[in-house]
Structures are given as C-alpha cells and as structure tokens.
Amino acid sequence: MNKEQFLKSGLIEQFVLGITSPEEAAEVERYAATFPEIQEEIIQLREAIEDYAKQYAIEPPSGTKDAILNEIDTIQYRANTNTSSNTWLSWLPMAAILASVILAFNFYQKKNQVEKVLFETENQFVAFQKECEEEKARLQPIQDRYAFLTNKATQAVNITGTGLSPDANVVVYYNAEEESALLNVLNLPAPPAGKTYQMWADVEGVMIDMGVFEVNDPSLREMVFIKHAESLNITLEPLGGSDHPTVSLLQANGKVQA
Amino acid sequence: MKNQEKNIIQGLQQQDKKIIALLYDQYGPTLYGIILKIVQSEEVAQDVLQEVFIKIWKNGTRYDTKKGSLFTWMLNIARNTAIDKTRSASFRQKAKIQDLDQTVYNNASLTTEQNTDVIGLKNFVNGLEEKYREIIDLVYFRGYTQKEVEKHLNIPLGTVKSRVRIALRELKRIFDEQKINIIVLVLSQLG
C-alpha cells in the first residue's frame, strides 16, 4: 500500500479508536514512523475523538477526587508496611542459614573434641593393655612358683649343717612328679677363697651332681633334678665344681622322704 | 502540550499522586460521563470512577505511548471497568429494580444537553449523523468489536468498517470547523 491508499484504508481510524489487532497496530505505527503526514493525521483524529468524548463530560459527585486520593494514601501506607514486613521475612531464611552454620560449626568442634578424647583414651587403653600383659608375664613365674611350693607333691628338704658348718641352713623344695628342685639358701657362710658350694643327690649310695651355687643370692634357684634322691648333700669344691664330691668337706645334708 | 503529556507519563510511571489529581481534573468528568452512559447509575458510576483512577495510578507503569494516546488508554480502563460492573451480580440485581431503558434514555439526553450547552459546542454533536454517533458510541464508549456491531445493528461488516471511517472523518471535519468558528467568533468579538 502506498501512503494515499493507506490513508483511505480505514486502518488509521480503527487504530485511533483502539480496535485494531496488534499486527494492524504495528503496521499503522510503521507507516506513522515513515510518513509524518500519517503521524499528523493520527494526532488530529485523536484530538477530534477526545473532544467528541468531552461532550459527554459530567461533573462527578463532589468528594470523589478526595476519596481517590485518600485511597491511594491508604494503599501506599499498606504497601509500605507490607514491604517492611516483607524485608523482615526475607531475613528469616538468612537467619536460619546463619543459625544452621553456627550450629554445624559447634557440632563440628564438639565432634573434633570427642574424637581427640577418644583417640587419647584408645592410646591409654593400649598402654594399659600392654602394661597389663607385662604385669601378667611378670606375675606368671611367681604364681607358678607359688603353685609349685604349695603343691602337695613338693617336699621341703631341710639341709642342716655338719660339724664343719654347724649353722648351715638350706632348704630344697623337691618335687618328684614335676621333676624339679628349687634351692633356698637361708644361712650358709661364704665359701673360702678358691672354693664353691656344690650340691649332690645320693641315689643308692652314688653321689650325683646337682650343680654349684652362690651363697649371697637370696632368690630361689633351680637345681638339676635327680630322680630317686635319698638325701641331698652340700660339699665345698674347687671353683667350677667337681665330678665327684669331696666327701671330707661335707658341709650339710638332709634326708629326702621317699 | 507535548511537554505536559511527557510530565504526566513520567509521573504515572513514578506513581505520583499529584499526577492522578491532575488527570482527574482534566479527564475525570469525561470518564465519569462515559461510565455513567454504561452503568446508568450515579452511585455505581462514582464507585467505578474511583476504581478507574486507582487502576490508572496502579498500572501507570504499564502505559505505553506506542499503544495509543493517554486518553484512549484511560478510556479503555474506564470502559472495561464499567462493563465488568454491569456484568456483576449485584449490579444486575439493581438493574431489575430500575427501569433500565428509561434511565438510558434520560441519561443520554441529559448528558448531551447539559454539556454541549456548557461548552457551547452544541453543533458539534448535533452535526454528527445519528448512524455515525451510534457507531462511535458502540465502538469507542462501549468497547464493541466491529463484528459485534455487525450483529448488534444487523448491518454488513463492510458497512460497519466504512461507517467507522466516515464517523471519524466527520468528527475531524466538525472539530476543524469548530476551531475555525471559534476563531471567527473571537475575531468578530475583537472587531
């Protein structure tokens, strides 16, 4: 359509009355933008229709204007109070998140503390366990010894001094079932220089070596166990001990119960 | 005029209460007259007018100069609000009590008489033939589509369209003549 055709099309009039479709309105706007005469025509037609409309003007009841302006005030006031409460509400999620973070951090710290305590406790436990094992290991031989000494099969053989050593007093705990002999020196003078005490078991008249021993050792000592000993004898022998006892130097002896 | 409209539009977009007061002074009576034509009750028309200006204030940010003149925009709001009102249940209840046709007639004649006298442009409205006045009334003041006018008046769509066109041309002609008459009148008074 050229400009003249468009002016006669009736679209401009419909546009001014506001009854064009959006597509038609866009077309009118395009023409108006291109042709100043069409723009001018639109303005004049609008003025005409507005003036025509004014013929119907009637003064509204008094108070209408005030009522409108008051209502605007009310709406604005309400909107403002709403906005402020909205701002308040919009803070809620933020506050909730903040609280959660603080709480989570708190829990995290507590968890760390508890873990530390647990770790320390575990270490202590391991240490105690080790100590306990050691203690048990230490105690075991003592208990074994005690059990041995209180065993009915164990007899305490008192070895008492001969004329050569009247104050000698030695006990040997002799157990034939367990085949074990323990020496406890109660009183025995220190051996002369170059000599050592040696113990012998008398089996059917034959002296069998049970080993040499020191005097100043207060603990119980294992001696070599000899079966069917009838008596236990102590002689003084050269250092290192002898294969056969020097009977002339018999210091002490004691009988073993059969 | 251009500057004033710019200020008004700016004020509307900022929801300036003063602009609403200004628009009320300038267009309130016209919108009220048109609302009254539709709702036929001063009491209802006052409510509608109040509602319309609140809508203008609230929706001012949505007004787009490209979509039409400020007046046409406000008129559309007034027209739609008034038509919605006539469709409401409470309105229909009232309409039953009143003799609607009677009031339509009374109000229409009253409106035309009163205001043309005040403004002194009696010839303006009278100069427009009844069939064109009818078209403008239906399309512009009552929001009929051209198809609805076709059904309502039982005339072909083509005739509706040409009458719309001629009606506006006529309005423009009368409007121009009126301006010339005023100028002539003023000049003769001076002379």
Side-chain angles (χ1 to χ4, degrees):
Chain A
M1 259 192 284
N2 65 33
K3 188 178 71 184
E4 277 68 34
Q5 282 172 321
F6 191 75
L7 278 168
K8 285 175 191 162
S9 70
L11 267 181
I12 299 168
E13 290 81 358
Q14 290 177 29
F15 177 72
V16 168
L17 288 175
I19 55 173
T20 42
S21 68
E23 295 78 30
E24 289 171 331
E27 198 184 351
V28 175
E29 279 161 17
R30 245 195 337 270
Y31 272 90
T34 318
F35 305 107
E37 300 100 301
I38 291 176
Q39 182 63 51
E40 187 53 35
E41 183 72 2
I42 291 168
I43 290 168
Q44 286 184 7
L45 286 174
R46 272 181 183 163
E47 282 178 2
I49 191 79
E50 283 179 26
D51 252 55
Y52 174 71
K54 278 179 188 162
Q55 310 309 302
Y56 293 93
I58 295 172
E59 200 54 45
S62 62
T64 311
K65 187 180 173 183
D66 287 343
I68 291 166
L69 298 178
N70 284 341
E71 198 176 334
I72 287 175
D73 285 341
T74 312
I75 294 168
Q76 267 179 334
Y77 175 75
R78 232 183 285 149
N80 284 341
T81 41
N82 275 350
T83 318
S84 59
S85 75
N86 276 346
T87 359
W88 222 108
L89 280 177
S90 70
W91 270 101
L92 264 183
M94 280 298 281
I97 289 166
L98 195 70
S100 308
V101 168
I102 291 169
L103 213 62
F105 183 69
N106 207 359
F107 280 138
Y108 176 74
Q109 274 189 323
K110 283 212 175 116
K111 181 200 146 234
N112 278 355
Q113 281 172 359
V114 169
E115 267 181 359
K116 202 177 156 198
V117 170
L118 180 70
F119 180 73
E120 284 169 2
T121 310
E122 272 176 353
N123 277 353
Q124 271 179 347
F125 177 75
V126 168
F128 278 134
Q129 218 172 21
K130 197 178 158 207
E131 213 173 289
C132 195
E133 290 296 329
E134 284 168 359
E135 200 65 22
K136 216 167 123 187
R138 206 170 59 79
L139 208 60
Q140 193 60 52
I142 297 169
Q143 278 181 327
D144 288 349
R145 192 137 293 175
Y146 178 76
F148 175 80
L149 292 177
T150 54
N151 194 330
K152 277 180 183 168
T154 303
Q155 57 169 298
V157 180
N158 282 309
I159 299 167
T160 47
T162 59
L164 288 175
S165 184
D167 298 328
N169 190 9
V170 172
V171 180
V172 170
Y173 299 92
Y174 184 90
N175 188 319
E177 281 178 13
E178 292 189 15
E179 299 190 342
S180 184
L182 286 183
L183 164 74
N184 186 19
V185 178
L186 298 175
N187 187 34
L188 203 61
K195 299 278 181 181
T196 182
Y197 288 108
Q198 189 167 3
M199 188 171 281
W200 310 86
D202 173 8
V203 182
E204 293 175 0
V206 182
M207 287 292 194
I208 302 169
D209 178 28
M210 286 178 73
V212 297
F213 62 88
E214 297 296 320
V215 172
N216 46 5
D217 182 352
S219 67
L220 292 172
R221 274 154 286 169
E222 287 277 350
M223 300 307 289
V224 179
F225 178 79
I226 304 297
K227 276 183 193 173
H228 311 301
E230 288 159 13
S231 68
L232 303 178
N233 309 277
I234 295 168
T235 57
L236 270 174
E237 302 293 338
L239 280 179
S242 310
D243 288 341
H244 299 283
T246 313
V247 179
S248 59
L249 290 178
L250 182 72
Q251 302 294 307
N253 64 349
K255 276 195 81 78
V256 179
Q257 306 292 313
Chain B
M1 187 66 199
K2 276 256 161 184
N3 263 342
Q4 200 205 348
E5 190 154 319
K6 242 184 206 172
N7 287 342
I8 288 173
I9 290 160
Q10 209 179 359
L12 269 179
Q13 274 161 355
Q14 289 161 358
Q15 298 204 312
D16 186 351
K17 199 176 84 169
K18 276 179 285 183
I19 292 301
I20 297 301
L22 189 82
L23 287 175
Y24 184 89
D25 292 339
Q26 208 164 326
Y27 297 107
T30 306
L31 296 178
Y32 180 69
I34 290 161
I35 292 164
L36 195 55
K37 263 169 83 75
I38 297 169
V39 301
Q40 302 295 336
S41 150
E42 287 187 4
E43 195 192 329
V44 176
Q46 193 189 357
D47 284 352
V48 172
L49 185 67
Q50 193 167 330
E51 210 176 302
V52 165
F53 272 96
I54 297 300
K55 281 182 184 171
I56 290 168
W57 174 71
K58 273 187 180 169
N59 301 328
T61 50
R62 273 193 253 159
Y63 169 63
D64 184 357
T65 47
K66 283 187 197 161
K67 296 285 177 287
S69 73
L70 185 61
F71 177 75
T72 305
W73 179 69
M74 292 194 294
L75 175 67
N76 283 342
I77 294 174
R79 192 176 62 203
N80 295 341
T81 309
I83 289 168
D84 282 351
K85 203 72 164 184
T86 62
R87 287 177 186 148
S88 74
S90 64
F91 184 86
R92 283 183 187 173
Q93 203 61 36
K94 267 188 195 167
K96 271 184 192 169
I97 302 159
Q98 289 182 343
D99 185 355
L100 198 62
D101 284 345
Q102 189 60 37
T103 39
V104 168
Y105 175 76
N106 283 346
N107 266 321
S109 55
L110 183 85
T111 309
T112 312
E113 292 286 321
Q114 251 185 359
N115 292 285
T116 46
D117 277 353
V118 171
I119 303 159
L121 298 175
K122 199 165 201 162
N123 288 335
F124 190 4
V125 176
N126 290 347
L128 194 64
E129 270 183 69
E130 178 55 32
K131 59 180 176 181
Y132 298 129
R133 208 154 55 167
E134 195 174 36
I135 288 280
I136 296 290
D137 187 71
L138 289 174
V139 171
Y140 199 52
F141 296 148
R142 291 176 194 272
Y144 278 51
T145 64
Q146 291 177 101
K147 282 213 165 144
E148 283 168 340
V149 175
E150 178 192 4
K151 273 187 201 161
H152 186 76
L153 297 180
N154 200 20
I155 49 171
L157 186 62
T159 310
V160 176
K161 286 189 172 180
S162 71
R163 277 190 194 173
V164 164
R165 188 172 163 257
I166 294 164
L168 268 191
R169 300 270 133 219
E170 279 294 288
L171 276 183
K172 195 192 161 202
R173 186 184 58 76
I174 296 164
F175 179 63
D176 285 344
E177 265 178 20
Q178 211 61 56
K179 279 201 281 196
I180 292 163
N181 281 348
I182 290 167
I183 293 164
V184 169
L185 188 75
V186 170
L187 285 177
S188 67
Q189 291 279 323
L190 288 173

